[in-house]
């Protein structure tokens, strides 16, 4: 029996891009997946597009919420996935609603992960201008990279750029149950980075393929390029990644030392 992947897509007013995103999932050469599409309070036709995919393909599941809630992935979905899918799902990945996978993303990621006995695998990516559709940059490694033990420190300058976001990677599903969701959802900015580095603490071996299998669309309307006073305050703190002022609980350095310990 082939192993199964859970893909999570969160969308908000994504009617212009969601079709492309979900089509790239539908066209995967590796077919054993389930895709949860979370419509996060959209006011456009996002839900209609998502429903169209679920009506024709049972692997797509749509969850709709009337009000936008950016914390729901960590607060609700991760605990739900762990409870519902443990023992059923083998891998997890996340795709933004304005991005897309190349058709062999799942197949090559799973093959590489299993061959090298990894906990997490990242692929290279193409950075696309959302207005022109042209590739303007690439994030890639010159050759396949396997990281373990003391290499977490020596290879940090190479792999850190691949670990700042949830997307572009395939994770062993069991890792989801180990992350600190409360910490992630309390951050005004950088929750996805904390998510990945939290997971890295529990990884014995990770890898990066020298294959570009993910397309990241750059748009000035994206939250990644949107400035806010809260984001400025978050990034400007005098502590590790500016976290102290944006945590629910008092600052506890040992929680963040976990990531640093991998590099010692």
């Amino acid at each position: 029996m082939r192993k199964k992947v859970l893909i999570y897509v969160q969308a908000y007013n994504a009617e212009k891009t969601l079709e492309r995103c979900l089509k790239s999932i539908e066209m995967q050469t590796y077919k054993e997946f389930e895709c949860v599409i979370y419509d996060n309070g959209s006011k456009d036709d996002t839900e209609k597009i998502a429903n169209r995919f679920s009506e024709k393909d049972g692997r797509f599941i749509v969850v709709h919420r009337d009000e936008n809630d950016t914390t729901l992935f960590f607060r609700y979905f991760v605990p739900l996935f762990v409870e519902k899918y443990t023992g059923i799902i083998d891998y997890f990945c996340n795709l933004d609603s304005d991005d897309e996978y190349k058709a062999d993303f799942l197949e090559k990621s799973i093959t590489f992960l299993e061959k090298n006995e990894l906990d997490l695998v990242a692929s290279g990516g193409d950075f696309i201008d959302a207005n022109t559709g042209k590739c303007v940059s690439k994030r890639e490694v010159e050759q396949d990279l396997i990281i373990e033990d003391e290499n977490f420190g020596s290879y940090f300058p190479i792999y850190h750029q691949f670990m700042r976001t949830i997307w572009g990677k395939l994770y062993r599903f069991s890792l989801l149950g180990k992350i600190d969701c409360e910490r992630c959802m309390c951050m005004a900015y950088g929750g996805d980075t904390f998510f990945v580095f939290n997971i890295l603490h529990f990884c014995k071996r990770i890898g990066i393929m020298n294959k570009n299998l993910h397309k990241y669309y750059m748009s000035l309307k994206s939250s990644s390029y949107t400035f806010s006073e809260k984001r400025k305050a978050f990034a400007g703190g005098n502590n590790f990644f500016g976290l102290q002022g944006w945590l629910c609980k008092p600052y506890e350095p040992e929680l963040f030392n976990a990531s640093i310990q991998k590099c010692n």
Side-chain angles (χ1 to χ4, degrees):
M1 184 176 179
R2 301 189 82 189
K3 295 186 176 181
K4 196 169 184 179
V5 185
L6 176 65
I7 306 170
Y8 177 76
V9 176
Q10 183 166 304
Y12 176 67
N13 291 343
E15 63 178 8
K16 295 182 179 179
T17 62
L18 186 60
E19 179 97 22
R20 178 185 67 209
C21 167
L22 299 182
K23 191 69 176 178
S24 77
I25 296 174
E26 183 182 48
M27 298 302 292
Q28 288 297 300
T29 56
Y30 191 91
K31 304 298 183 182
E32 298 300 319
F33 66 80
E34 189 168 303
C35 177
V36 174
I37 311 161
Y38 170 45
D39 174 24
N40 194 6
S42 298
K43 308 304 179 185
D44 60 6
D45 285 337
T46 294
E47 185 180 16
K48 291 182 180 179
I49 296 169
N51 286 339
R52 190 163 67 245
F53 277 82
S54 67
E55 289 167 1
K56 68 177 181 178
D57 190 334
R59 295 174 299 176
F60 291 87
I61 300 170
V62 180
V63 179
H64 175 77
R65 181 180 172 86
D66 291 334
E67 300 297 327
N68 184 265
D69 184 348
T70 58
T71 70
L72 215 61
F73 172 67
F74 298 115
R75 181 166 57 84
Y76 175 74
F77 281 107
V78 172
L80 176 66
F81 291 158
V82 171
E83 178 182 355
K84 180 178 179 181
Y85 290 115
T86 296
I88 300 173
I89 294 291
D90 301 283
Y91 312 108
F92 170 80
C93 56
N94 174 88
L95 182 62
D96 286 352
S97 60
D98 55 348
D99 294 342
E100 64 178 304
Y101 288 141
K102 295 185 180 180
D104 53 357
F105 171 84
L106 291 181
E107 185 169 9
K108 287 187 176 178
S109 295
I110 292 172
T111 299
F112 189 82
L113 183 148
E114 291 296 338
K115 177 182 177 181
N116 294 286
E117 300 181 334
L118 306 176
D119 298 302
L120 175 162
V121 59
S123 69
D126 298 337
F127 286 69
I128 311 296
D129 185 322
N131 293 320
T132 65
K134 295 182 179 180
C135 180
V136 297
S137 180
K138 293 179 181 289
R139 179 184 292 167
E140 55 192 354
V141 289
E142 294 181 357
Q143 61 185 31
D144 292 339
L145 181 64
I146 305 297
I147 304 163
E148 61 181 336
D149 301 327
E150 66 278 1
N151 288 338
F152 276 96
S154 58
Y155 284 119
F156 183 79
I158 298 175
Y159 74 79
H160 78 91
Q161 61 181 314
F162 292 87
M163 302 299 157
R164 296 198 293 256
T165 58
I166 298 178
W167 47 260
K169 288 174 276 298
L170 184 79
Y171 308 82
R172 288 199 184 273
F173 185 82
S174 58
L175 292 169
L176 277 187
K178 299 180 179 181
I179 67 169
D180 189 338
C181 291
E182 185 177 357
R183 296 274 170 173
C184 293
M185 73 182 185
C186 291
M187 296 179 184
Y189 179 69
D192 52 349
T193 302
F194 184 83
F195 171 96
V196 178
F197 275 85
N198 196 176
I199 278 181
L200 282 178
H201 177 60
F202 300 101
C203 293
K204 295 181 179 179
R205 286 167 60 90
I206 67 172
I208 304 174
M209 293 183 287
N210 70 334
K211 297 178 176 62
N212 288 20
L213 304 177
H214 177 274
K215 293 184 179 181
Y216 175 77
Y217 285 79
M218 300 183 298
S219 170
L220 293 179
K221 296 181 180 180
S222 168
S223 60
S224 299
Y225 302 96
T226 302
F227 175 83
S228 70
E229 289 299 326
K230 180 179 283 190
R231 177 172 174 177
K232 177 182 178 181
F234 177 83
N238 294 321
N239 46 69
F240 185 72
F241 284 132
L243 298 175
Q244 183 172 359
W246 296 99
L247 297 177
C248 291
K249 300 177 181 177
Y251 177 56
E252 301 171 17
E254 63 272 16
L255 291 175
F256 306 106
N257 288 341
S259 298
I260 298 174
Q261 288 168 3
K262 300 292 285 191
C263 301
N264 289 339

